[in-house]
Amino acid sequence: MNTLNHFDTPQLELLHRGKVRDSYRAPSGERLIVVTDRLSAFDSVLETPVAHKGAVLNGLAAFWFDKTRHIIPNHVISLPDPNVTLAQEAEPIRVEMVVRHYLTGSMWRGYQQGQRSFSGVAVPDGLTKHQQFPEPIVTPTTKEESDREITPENLVSEGWVTAELYEQMRVKALELFNFASQWMAERGIILVDTKYEFGLRNGELILIDEIHTPDSSRFWSAEDYAGNPETAEQMDKEYVRQWLIANKEDGQYPRALTPEVSAEATRRYLDIYERITGAPLPIISSDDDVQARLVGNLVRAGIMKDA
């Protein structure tokens, strides 16, 4: 199946190559974000790309950016290709606003070890795995070489943000989370936790990066959670993580996926896209030459020249 594992062109200046997204300078001076089919797990990019994953992430992010414009402006200008977003440049705020509504993941692991304060938020004793909090909580982290939990007070004292800017980010993060939670609940999905990234555009706070995608969020099936909260499975790449754990040898995770696991991961990404948006991903052909299509669309958009 055709995938987009790598994209490069001498026509565009490479600004940043991430685990999944590559950023280029568009001729207009704006930022061109190419979302590949690479999959990252346990801080490592696997050798096997997952078909349609990039289009799912890019399409879902665009869907949510559009749905939440009434809450906060964002950086999206257009989608010249299913795997590409043309975005406004912004000054990134080096803080991730992590919103959690359930005790799970790294927070649960810390809780089991006796931790009762997370980024300055105190939680009581006696909670169980996957238990819902009365209200969503915000547990910010810094965006550094290794992200770290940090209290709002320390974010201010260390100079990451002003108190006024942090409060604005906190309020917007909760508004976004509550809006998306209601939307997904009506479709049988629980938004467990997620992260938001913000930037400043001409002094105005805007939403950047991605929003409510399977790579930035944790989803559960409401039916699955109702049956047994502690065994609820994530509707995202957790399936791949669990396969890697089960096939670990000599302390090392596999570097590649089997065709069966890759195909199942694709099915799950496509499924969460359709469940959230109410429509299947527009491009599903296995014969689609993603690289050629992408270049053709960028040429038609005037971003690249036909070489």
Side-chain angles (χ1 to χ4, degrees):
M1 185 174 286
N2 206 289
T3 56
L4 182 66
N5 196 33
H6 180 81
F7 175 75
D8 199 11
T9 172
Q11 293 191 38
L12 301 173
E13 176 191 358
L14 177 66
L15 300 176
H16 174 72
R17 193 178 300 283
K19 292 177 180 176
V20 175
R21 288 168 173 77
D22 298 333
S23 293
Y24 297 86
R25 175 73 64 219
S28 61
E30 307 295 356
R31 182 170 292 249
L32 192 76
I33 303 170
V34 178
V35 189
T36 72
D37 294 326
R38 297 192 295 265
L39 191 146
S40 169
F42 302 115
D43 294 322
S44 178
V45 177
L46 301 180
E47 295 173 0
T48 312
V50 173
H52 303 304
K53 175 179 178 285
V56 165
L57 297 182
N58 200 49
L60 267 182
F63 173 85
W64 284 114
F65 278 129
D66 184 60
K67 289 287 182 187
T68 58
R69 287 183 185 276
H70 66 288
I71 296 174
I72 185 172
N74 59 67
H75 68 168
V76 176
I77 298 173
S78 64
L79 268 65
D81 178 85
N83 285 71
V84 179
T85 292
L86 184 65
Q88 295 177 331
E89 278 290 0
E91 178 188 348
I93 299 169
R94 308 305 295 175
V95 175
E96 283 192 357
M97 299 297 283
V98 182
V99 183
R100 308 173 185 270
H101 207 179
Y102 295 80
L103 180 57
T104 190
S106 61
M107 190 176 185
W108 168 244
R109 291 191 289 273
Y111 190 87
Q112 285 181 298
Q113 296 167 7
Q115 187 177 350
R116 293 295 182 269
S117 179
F118 299 86
S119 299
V121 179
V123 294
D125 292 330
L127 301 182
T128 57
K129 183 181 180 182
H130 293 180
Q131 185 167 339
Q132 185 179 22
F133 301 124
E135 297 290 339
I137 62 174
V138 181
T139 56
T141 65
T142 59
K143 282 186 65 63
E144 301 176 82
E145 182 98 9
S146 180
D147 297 350
R148 60 186 168 98
E149 289 183 12
I150 188 169
T151 66
E153 293 76 19
N154 285 343
L155 280 173
V156 174
S157 65
E158 292 182 20
W160 295 90
V161 289
T162 64
E164 294 77 15
L165 182 57
Y166 176 80
E167 179 60 14
Q168 192 178 357
M169 292 164 60
R170 186 191 70 82
V171 169
K172 291 301 178 184
L174 287 172
E175 286 185 38
L176 290 166
F177 189 88
N178 289 330
F179 175 81
S181 292
Q182 181 177 343
W183 177 278
M184 294 194 201
E186 293 169 356
R187 290 152 181 81
I189 303 167
I190 294 174
L191 177 57
V192 181
D193 51 41
T194 193
K195 59 101 175 175
Y196 302 105
E197 294 190 33
F198 297 93
L200 294 172
R201 171 79 173 173
N202 299 324
E204 179 186 26
L205 187 71
I206 68 170
L207 191 62
I208 63 172
D209 193 57
E210 60 182 323
I211 172 176
H212 304 149
T213 71
D215 277 15
S216 67
S217 313
R218 200 185 314 260
F219 306 120
W220 290 333
S221 159
E223 182 181 7
D224 192 24
Y225 183 81
N228 188 337
E230 293 199 14
T231 61
E233 289 189 9
Q234 291 176 222
M235 301 168 65
D236 52 28
K237 66 180 180 182
E238 183 63 17
Y239 161 76
V240 175
R241 290 195 194 98
Q242 291 304 317
W243 182 86
L244 293 172
I245 291 171
N247 290 272
K248 194 174 183 179
E249 292 185 7
D250 301 323
Q252 299 295 317
Y253 296 110
R255 297 290 307 126
L257 304 177
T258 66
E260 294 77 16
V261 172
S262 178
E264 176 61 16
T266 289
R267 187 195 69 77
R268 288 173 179 241
Y269 273 96
L270 292 172
D271 178 65
I272 193 65
Y273 178 94
E274 184 167 354
R275 290 186 65 164
I276 290 175
T277 66
L281 188 73
I283 49 162
I284 307 283
S285 173
S286 59
D287 300 324
D288 184 21
D289 187 333
V290 183
Q291 189 96 223
R293 185 206 68 213
L294 190 156
V295 170
N297 283 334
L298 293 186
V299 168
R300 281 185 283 276
I303 295 171
M304 288 179 61
K305 296 178 180 177
D306 189 353

